[in-house]
Each structure stands twice: as C-alpha cells, then as structure tokens.
Amino acid sequence: MKKVAIIISSAPHSTAKGREALDTALALSTFNHISVFFIGDGVFHLLANQHPELILMRDYIATFNMLELYDIEDVYVCKASLDKRNLNQMPLNIANQVIDENELTQLLANQDAVLRF
C-alpha cells in the first residue's frame, strides 16, 4: 500500500481542480493510504455556506464529507494559510488537523507520491 498525498492549493469554483482532487482521493483510497492537505487558497474549500450556484457552478464542497466514509482520516490544514486569509477562527466543514509548515514538510517527506491540484 502506497502513501499518497493529495494537495489542494487552488480556490474552489474557479477551476475544476478541487473536484478533481476530491475524485482522485476517493478513487485512490481503495488501494492506497491517502492524506489530504489544504494549503494556500485551497483552505477556502473548507468553508461552509458557499453558494456556487450564483456563479453557475456545481456545489461539490459538501462531498468532502465523503473522505471519512472512504477511510481518509488524515486531513491536514496549513495554519499559515488560514492565518494569512484571516480564517483561523472560522469553523471548517470537515474534521481536520491544523499543522504548521514544519509538520507539513515532514508529513509530505514521508509520502510515496504527491499530487497537487
């Protein structure tokens, strides 16, 4: 079983990258140990009450709750990314561990593969 990191660093709804990252994580979880990392603008995926239908986009954010059902429990959020965007006090919509940049580097170094979206 390989350890695969999925890094989500792009904002939701501006491109299909967030949905592609989620689909990839769920598909790979059958045969691999998946860790999901939200960094940079990717932390915006974790905010509740988004209304993408207003810009004619499909709402896939709630689907991130499927991570737990697929036994993807290693979900990490970069503390510096939250702080930079003033989101450190906002409730996030899925269970996660907030980590600093040193922990992020260590966790990524232990992965067999890293996919960035």
Side-chain angles (χ1 to χ4, degrees):
M1 183 175 281
K2 299 263 186 193
K3 291 193 247 176
V4 179
I6 305 289
I7 298 176
I8 301 172
S9 60
S10 59
H13 314 303
S14 59
T15 67
K17 288 182 180 181
R19 179 62 192 193
E20 290 169 357
L22 178 59
D23 290 345
T24 300
L26 297 178
L28 291 177
S29 69
T30 304
F31 301 108
N32 300 283
H33 177 84
I34 304 297
S35 299
V36 179
F37 296 84
F38 292 90
I39 64 172
D41 286 342
V43 298
F44 288 115
H45 283 88
L46 300 172
L47 300 179
N49 300 318
Q50 298 187 34
H51 298 284
E53 67 278 359
L54 298 175
I55 58 170
L56 305 177
M57 297 295 288
R58 192 170 131 225
D59 187 6
Y60 65 89
I61 298 297
T63 311
F64 277 103
N65 291 315
M66 296 291 291
L67 293 174
E68 190 173 355
L69 292 174
Y70 280 72
D71 293 326
I72 300 173
E73 298 172 350
D74 295 336
V75 178
Y76 302 101
V77 181
C78 177
K79 182 180 183 327
S81 297
L82 291 173
D83 292 343
K84 184 176 180 180
R85 289 154 183 83
N86 295 317
L87 299 176
N88 49 359
Q89 300 299 319
M90 298 290 292
L92 304 178
N93 62 5
I94 61 172
N96 64 78
Q97 292 178 272
V98 177
I99 58 173
D100 64 30
E101 291 175 343
N102 291 330
E103 292 170 302
L104 175 65
T105 302
Q106 289 173 350
L107 288 166
L108 290 175
N110 290 325
Q111 303 298 314
D112 295 311
V114 176
L115 304 174
R116 187 179 189 116
F117 294 86

